[in-house]
């Protein structure tokens, strides 16, 4: 019977390992098939992680906006009043937009707010250029390239809002210059060309970096998934190493480790119940090993359901048709109550055993031992005493409980 159970557990363990190995291989060798859900998660993570930097960058641009205002009187003394009014008006709008990003309910829309922020800065520059003489126009037009560069590289905007802001600024500038006719068309074409090129470079940079960042995010997700799979596999293997494959109870290894741990807690009573299924070989011979396994499962279920649920007690398959119950902080009198409850539960279960000489249902013999933790060689003494009492129960007619006084 032990060989059969061991073989079954071996097959189950191999099955679990093979299943998880295949899953891990799929994770490790999976192509970069990025789903809409992954893209959405990446965007959410990107916006969350770049929110603070985008605010600081916007404040820095606002600072430059004010700083360059001191140059207005130098380049255009005749139009200083108009330029200052325009610059201050747009300063207020830009400050307002930055303030919106600090509102918690609007925080998730910060990239679109910043898109509007960049457009406002660009259109403000366009309107200031419209007020300038031809000589000063070329200098201020370069400021538009700075704003467009900011949109793509500094603002942390993603491709769509950045491209929208950059192209709106270029379109506004082209419309203003062609409508005003202050400078020759060839100069307008040259300025628009450089702005378009800046936009194209910006789109290329954001597109390429976006793909790299998305792939990196996907790799991180795969690494997390791999780590979780390994953790799950380790948990299952650990469980299999300490669990009986047939009954689901603790196995002999876990029993020994748990008893050793209990013995380290001095001045506490530990009791052990050893149960043996009466005439189980006769059961197997009559019903077959498969039915015998089903019988052991039902017995294990009965034991697990009828031991106390407090104090972290342990039910284990001790070997073959033998079971063990470790009772923490239970003296002999309490242990006997548990033993009586288990024997009665088996009687109530009424599992048919036609070949049982002492009755027509499955019965168990129980040996009980109890000891005070910290006793010298306490583990060996407790097991030996419970085993002797089980042997006595079997030699005196079976289907009974035998016990000794507390060991010391």
């Amino acid at each position: 019977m032990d060989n059969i159970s061991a073989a079954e557990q071996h097959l189950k363990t191999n099955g679990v390992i093979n299943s998880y190995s295949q899953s891990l291989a799929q994770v490790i060798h999976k192509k970069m098939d990025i789903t809409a859900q992954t893209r959405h998660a990446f965007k959410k993570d990107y916006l969350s992680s770049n929110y603070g930097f985008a605010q600081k960058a916007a404040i820095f641009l606002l600072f430059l906006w004010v700083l360059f205002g001191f140059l207005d009187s130098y380049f255009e003394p005749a139009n200083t009043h108009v330029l200052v009014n325009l610059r201050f008006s747009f300063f207020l709008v830009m400050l307002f937009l930055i303030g919106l990003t600090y509102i918690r309910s609007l925080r998730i829309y910060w990239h679109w707010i910043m898109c509007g922020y960049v457009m406002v800065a660009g259109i403000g520059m366009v309107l200031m250029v419209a007020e300038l003489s031809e000589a000063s126009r070329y200098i201020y037009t370069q400021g538009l390239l700075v704003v467009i560069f900011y949109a793509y590289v500094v603002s942390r905007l993603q491709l769509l809002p950045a491209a929208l802001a950059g192209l709106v600024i270029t379109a506004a500038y082209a419309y203003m210059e062609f409508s005003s006719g202050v400078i020759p068309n060839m100069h307008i074409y040259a300025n628009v060309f450089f702005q378009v090129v800046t936009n194209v470079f910006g789109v290329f940079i954001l597109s390429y970096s976006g793909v790299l960042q998305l792939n990196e995010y996907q790799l991180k997700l795969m690494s997390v998934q791999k780590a979780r799979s390994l953790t799950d596999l380790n948990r299952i293997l650990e469980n299999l190493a300490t669990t009986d494959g047939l009954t689901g109870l603790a196995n002999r290894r876990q029993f020994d480790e748990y008893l050793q741990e209990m013995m380290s807690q001095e001045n506490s009573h530990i009791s052990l119940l050893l149960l043996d299924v009466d005439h189980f070989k006769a059961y197997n011979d009559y019903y077959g090993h498969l039915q015998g396994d089903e019988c052991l499962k039902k017995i294990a279920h009965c034991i697990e359901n009828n031991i106390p649920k407090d104090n972290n007690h342990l039910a284990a398959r001790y070997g073959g048709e033998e079971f063990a119950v470790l009772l923490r902080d239970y003296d002999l009198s309490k242990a006997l109550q548990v033993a009586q409850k288990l024997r009665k539960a088996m009687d109530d279960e009424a599992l048919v055993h036609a070949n049982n000489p002492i009755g027509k249902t499955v019965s168990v013999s129980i040996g009980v031992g109890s000891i005070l933790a910290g006793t010298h060689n306490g583990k060996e003494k407790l097991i030996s005493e419970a085993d002797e009492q089980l042997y006595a129960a079997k030699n005196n007619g079976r289907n009974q409980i035998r016990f000794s006084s507390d060991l010391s």
Side-chain angles (χ1 to χ4, degrees):
M1 196 66 187
D2 287 337
N3 292 335
I4 293 173
S5 299
E8 286 180 348
Q9 183 167 346
H10 177 71
L11 289 173
K12 289 180 180 179
T13 304
N14 283 344
V16 172
I17 293 174
N18 289 337
S19 173
Y20 270 81
S21 296
Q22 292 171 2
S23 299
L24 286 176
Q26 291 174 359
V27 171
I28 295 169
H29 299 294
K30 184 179 179 183
K31 294 181 180 179
M32 301 301 288
D33 182 18
I34 300 173
T35 63
Q37 184 177 5
T38 301
R39 292 179 185 276
H40 177 73
F42 165 73
K43 181 179 179 180
K44 184 177 180 181
D45 183 71
Y46 178 89
L47 294 177
S48 176
S49 59
N50 286 279
Y51 163 75
F53 182 89
Q55 283 183 318
K56 293 180 178 65
I59 293 172
F60 180 69
L61 180 63
L62 195 62
F63 170 75
L64 292 180
W65 181 268
V66 174
L67 183 64
F68 282 110
F70 291 103
L71 299 176
D72 292 338
S73 59
Y74 177 78
F75 290 113
E76 280 287 323
N79 294 318
T80 299
H81 181 70
V82 175
L83 294 177
V84 168
N85 286 338
L86 280 172
R87 193 176 290 275
F88 181 71
S89 298
F90 279 87
F91 168 83
L92 293 178
V93 177
M94 292 162 67
L95 185 63
F96 171 75
L97 291 173
I98 292 176
L100 290 181
T101 65
Y102 284 91
I103 300 175
R104 185 175 296 274
S105 60
L106 299 177
R107 189 173 295 178
I108 58 174
Y109 305 111
W110 73 259
H111 56 306
W112 290 112
I113 296 173
M114 288 302 177
C115 173
Y117 175 86
V118 175
M119 284 193 285
V120 167
I123 292 172
M125 286 292 296
V126 169
L127 293 179
M128 283 191 285
V129 169
E131 298 295 329
L132 300 174
S133 62
E134 182 177 353
S136 300
R137 247 174 159 85
Y138 300 109
I139 299 173
Y140 277 71
T141 301
Q142 308 313 309
L144 291 174
L145 293 177
V146 174
V147 176
I148 295 172
F149 175 83
Y150 170 88
Y152 287 103
V153 178
V154 184
S155 68
R156 289 296 194 271
L157 292 177
Q158 290 188 299
L159 179 59
L160 182 58
L164 178 62
L167 293 174
V168 165
I169 292 170
T170 299
Y173 170 77
Y175 176 79
M176 182 276 295
E177 288 289 24
F178 283 118
S179 299
S180 65
V182 174
I183 62 176
N185 285 348
M186 288 301 296
H187 292 175
I188 299 174
Y189 291 140
N191 290 336
V192 171
F193 171 78
F194 285 118
Q195 290 184 34
V196 169
V197 169
T198 304
N199 277 287
V200 170
F201 280 149
V203 169
F204 173 77
I205 291 171
L206 281 189
S207 298
Y208 185 70
S209 64
V211 171
L212 291 179
Q213 291 171 358
L214 186 55
N215 285 341
E216 183 182 0
Y217 184 79
Q218 177 77 346
L219 286 173
K220 288 181 180 178
L221 290 181
M222 291 167 65
S223 297
V224 171
Q225 185 180 354
K226 176 184 174 183
R228 287 176 179 171
S229 298
L230 287 172
T231 301
D232 291 342
L233 176 58
N234 288 334
R235 188 181 299 115
I236 288 178
L237 291 176
E238 182 180 353
N239 187 52
L240 286 173
T242 57
T243 303
D244 177 63
L246 177 65
T247 63
L249 297 180
N251 61 12
R252 182 64 176 270
R253 173 184 170 181
Q254 186 177 0
F255 169 86
D256 289 336
E257 292 176 351
Y258 200 70
L259 178 55
Q260 186 65 45
E261 184 268 327
M262 291 172 73
M263 284 296 174
S264 66
Q265 299 178 356
E266 296 185 1
N267 300 321
S268 64
H269 283 280
I270 300 171
S271 292
L272 170 62
L273 280 56
L274 287 181
L275 299 83
D276 184 81
V277 183
D278 296 327
H279 299 290
F280 191 68
K281 184 179 183 303
Y283 186 99
N284 272 336
D285 292 341
Y286 187 83
Y287 293 103
H289 288 290
L290 291 179
Q291 188 62 34
D293 287 348
E294 290 301 316
C295 178
L296 289 176
K297 289 179 184 178
K298 290 177 182 178
I299 294 171
H301 185 70
C302 180
I303 293 173
E304 195 169 28
N305 285 342
N306 286 280
I307 63 172
K309 305 303 180 185
D310 59 328
N311 289 346
N312 298 317
H313 306 304
L314 180 75
R317 187 181 179 194
Y318 198 67
E321 64 270 23
E322 288 189 6
F323 296 88
V325 176
L326 281 171
L327 300 170
R328 185 193 295 268
D329 293 326
Y330 266 49
D331 59 17
L332 183 61
S333 61
K334 288 184 178 180
L336 286 175
Q337 293 176 12
V338 175
Q340 291 165 357
K341 182 179 179 181
L342 287 175
R343 199 177 74 83
K344 183 178 184 304
M346 283 303 307
D347 289 341
D348 294 342
E349 196 75 18
L351 300 174
V352 178
H353 184 353
N355 258 15
N356 189 357
I358 59 174
K360 297 304 178 183
T361 59
V362 174
S363 60
V364 293
S365 299
I366 305 176
V368 183
S370 185
I371 196 170
L372 193 64
T375 302
H376 180 64
N377 291 332
K379 177 181 176 181
E380 292 76 13
K381 288 181 179 180
L382 179 63
I383 294 175
S384 176
E385 183 61 27
D387 191 57
E388 286 181 15
Q389 297 304 320
L390 175 60
Y391 185 79
K394 292 167 67 175
N395 282 345
N396 285 275
R398 302 178 188 265
N399 191 23
Q400 58 185 272
I401 302 167
R402 286 297 180 108
F403 59 92
S404 69
S405 58
D406 281 13
L407 300 171
S408 59

